[in-house]
Amino acid sequence: MLDSDSGDELPVGWEERATVDGNIYFVNHTTKSTQWIHPRTGKKKYVRKELPFGWKKIVKPNGEIVFQHESDEMTTNSDPRLAFAQEYGDNPSEVRYKFDASSTTDEVLHGLDLSNKIAIVTGANTGIGLETATSLAMHDCHVIMACRSISRAEEAAEKIRLKRRNAHCDLMKLNLSSLKSVKEFAETFKSKYNKLDILILNAGVFSPPYWLTEDGYESTFQICHLSHFYLTNLLEDKLVLSDDPRVVILASESHRFSLLNENTLSELALSPPADQYSGYIAYNNAKLCNLLFAHELHMRWYCKGVTVFAVHPGNLVYSDLSRHWWLYRLLFFIVRPFTKSLQQAASTSIFCATSPYLKQKPVLYFNNCFPCTPSQKAMDANMSRKLWKLSEKMTNEALLRLNLSAFFS
């Protein structure tokens, strides 16, 4: 986000004020004059028209205006919007970022009101997904927790409601190892909601034992990429109805170690047989697929107003991701004191999903709430187009097999 006024202190005798429509002006009490530009930086600033989340304006009988936060009875004469003042850059697309690896979701969301937003978070019952869903719900976002196990989702939703009693959490079954389940989820969502503002593709698996999904594909590839690819396309019509639709795809720096390239990218490489399977390589390949998918989705949907991000949540974040092998569990446990907390790990996803200053920004990959450059392969337009076509082909073939099976059963 852009820097607040904390980094641009006013000279003695100056005061910052905001108009109703969000423009900031500066008062010089010495000369009794006002101006629109900051007396030190020479730049204009603005705030959102709405008050930050949890604040209300009170007009006293004598006409005095004060502001009160819902958490206490204290009032202040200072406009709380000023804490979130933003600077007009020399370049309209310029954004200066003030968050980093230590930033938490609370810091990223501070002051934001998401009460008009509808979000889907896949894998929202545990780990980074649960923290993401919790943070959104705490700021009045209506969160659809898309989970394989409804019972575990109910437990997770109860944890959220203990923090905010009136949190809006809708539990919906989504099994990413089944394209049929993905289709049923999308149909159910579209029957209940008239738009979708935020789609966070969070769910994934890391190096499980080899197994094929009911659609006949290697599980890491389908759960981390193919089912999310299918889900996103099914929800396109609801995303484009939002005034600021965002798609956030959890990728990883592991994508840099993928063995895929334009020549080797194929159905066999994406979903290998058991004797060619390596859990670590499958994960790296799936994470590259996440970046390539984000790149191609951005190219196809940017003109429709959809902003697409791929994010790296952090290295070896302690969560259920390591559950498939005791050695991974041990490694994640040992490095736990040196890695991000779940709130820090979820902050980049939350930042990309909610920051009002990232709307329609052509910045694709974020790490530590900051844009960064992915690998050259992740930005390869030929690879991203090829993966899209392969994903369409593999999805259609699986659905055809499913339909034929149902017809002859």
Side-chain angles (χ1 to χ4, degrees):
M1 291 176 65
L2 302 173
D3 288 338
S4 71
D5 199 48
S6 60
D8 303 307
E9 292 185 6
L10 290 168
V12 176
W14 285 84
E15 182 186 354
E16 186 179 56
R17 294 180 183 175
T19 64
V20 174
D21 60 359
N23 290 308
I24 286 181
Y25 63 99
F26 302 90
V27 180
N28 187 329
H29 291 289
T30 302
T31 63
K32 308 297 182 183
S33 61
T34 63
Q35 61 189 55
W36 291 110
I37 62 173
H38 192 286
R40 279 186 172 163
T41 67
K43 294 185 177 181
K44 293 183 178 181
K45 300 181 76 174
Y46 66 97
V47 292
R48 299 177 68 191
K49 295 180 181 179
E50 304 83 9
L51 288 173
F53 180 65
W55 286 91
K56 63 179 178 180
K57 182 169 72 172
I58 300 174
V59 181
K60 293 184 176 181
N62 63 0
E64 180 186 4
I65 296 176
V66 296
F67 302 90
Q68 186 179 68
H69 195 271
E70 64 178 20
S71 61
D72 54 47
E73 299 299 321
M74 298 292 290
T75 60
T76 176
N77 295 103
S78 299
D79 189 333
R81 295 180 299 166
L82 294 175
F84 307 96
Q86 310 299 322
E87 189 178 89
Y88 287 106
D90 297 325
N91 183 338
S93 64
E94 175 188 347
V95 177
R96 290 189 288 156
Y97 301 89
K98 68 176 184 181
F99 299 118
D100 55 29
S102 63
S103 299
T104 65
T105 54
D106 287 341
E107 293 169 342
V108 169
L109 285 169
H110 184 57
L112 292 183
D113 183 356
L114 305 179
S115 57
N116 65 333
K117 299 290 186 181
I118 298 173
I120 292 174
V121 182
T122 67
N125 62 285
T126 187
I128 297 173
L130 174 56
E131 191 59 52
T132 301
T134 302
S135 299
L136 292 172
M138 291 294 286
H139 285 254
D140 265 10
C141 183
H142 193 120
V143 182
I144 291 83
M145 302 175 70
C147 306
R148 182 181 59 181
S149 169
I150 291 298
S151 61
R152 294 187 65 188
E154 288 173 345
E155 294 174 2
E158 187 57 32
K159 293 178 182 177
I160 296 175
R161 295 189 183 104
L162 286 174
K163 295 182 178 181
R164 188 174 182 85
R165 184 167 54 85
N166 59 346
H168 303 291
C169 299
D170 188 2
L171 316 180
M172 291 176 58
K173 184 176 179 60
L174 174 64
N175 181 0
L176 292 171
S177 64
S178 165
L179 293 177
K180 178 183 177 183
S181 175
V182 174
K183 184 177 181 180
E184 290 172 348
F185 171 90
E187 290 173 347
T188 302
F189 173 84
K190 290 196 278 190
S191 69
K192 296 175 66 175
Y193 298 96
N194 59 7
K195 67 163 185 169
L196 175 60
D197 300 288
I198 301 167
L199 175 60
I200 300 182
L201 306 177
N202 165 85
V205 290
F206 174 67
S207 193
Y210 183 84
W211 62 281
L212 297 178
T213 68
E214 68 177 47
D215 300 301
Y217 297 127
E218 188 276 315
S219 59
T220 303
F221 164 72
Q222 177 162 342
I223 293 171
C224 291
H225 167 68
L226 190 64
S227 287
H228 278 147
F229 168 85
Y230 185 42
L231 175 65
T232 305
N233 279 280
L234 289 175
L235 295 174
E236 175 186 0
D237 57 342
K238 294 299 183 181
L239 279 164
V240 296
L241 293 177
S242 169
D243 60 358
D244 182 18
R246 312 276 182 103
V247 178
V248 180
I249 305 169
L250 263 73
S252 171
E253 282 291 277
S254 296
H255 83 275
R256 301 184 189 277
F257 306 106
S258 171
L259 300 181
L260 296 175
N261 58 51
E262 186 178 353
N263 295 325
T264 62
L265 184 61
S266 65
E267 290 187 41
L268 183 63
L270 294 171
S271 181
D275 61 351
Q276 298 179 28
Y277 173 76
S278 162
Y280 181 69
I281 292 175
Y283 182 76
N284 296 343
N285 289 348
K287 294 295 106 177
L288 177 60
C289 288
N290 292 153
L291 266 298
L292 291 170
F293 173 42
H295 181 273
E296 188 64 17
L297 191 65
H298 167 76
M299 297 300 293
R300 291 170 180 255
W301 286 12
Y302 185 76
C303 61
K304 301 177 182 181
V306 181
T307 310
V308 182
F309 302 98
V311 304
H312 173 60
N315 296 313
L316 301 176
V317 177
Y318 191 75
S319 68
D320 283 350
L321 193 65
S322 61
R323 64 187 180 274
H324 292 293
W325 190 24
W326 69 267
L327 189 57
Y328 286 140
R329 293 197 301 272
L330 178 61
L331 174 61
F332 277 58
F333 178 78
I334 291 173
V335 301
R336 185 177 185 179
F338 312 103
T339 59
K340 290 183 178 181
S341 68
L342 290 175
Q343 263 214 338
Q344 291 169 332
S347 64
T348 304
S349 299
I350 292 292
F351 177 65
C352 290
T354 64
S355 173
Y357 310 106
L358 293 183
K359 182 177 181 179
Q360 282 283 273
K361 289 290 186 297
V363 180
L364 183 66
Y365 187 43
F366 274 76
N367 183 6
N368 298 327
C369 298
F370 197 87
C372 60
T373 303
S375 68
Q376 288 187 339
K377 287 191 293 187
M379 297 185 292
D380 189 313
N382 292 329
M383 278 191 74
S384 67
R385 284 193 296 267
K386 186 173 182 179
L387 176 65
W388 186 283
K389 292 178 181 178
L390 279 171
S391 300
E392 282 184 327
K393 180 176 181 290
M394 296 173 77
T395 300
N396 292 334
E397 288 175 348
L399 293 173
L400 178 59
R401 289 194 296 267
L402 183 65
N403 292 334
L404 289 174
S405 176
F407 179 78
F408 288 109
S409 61

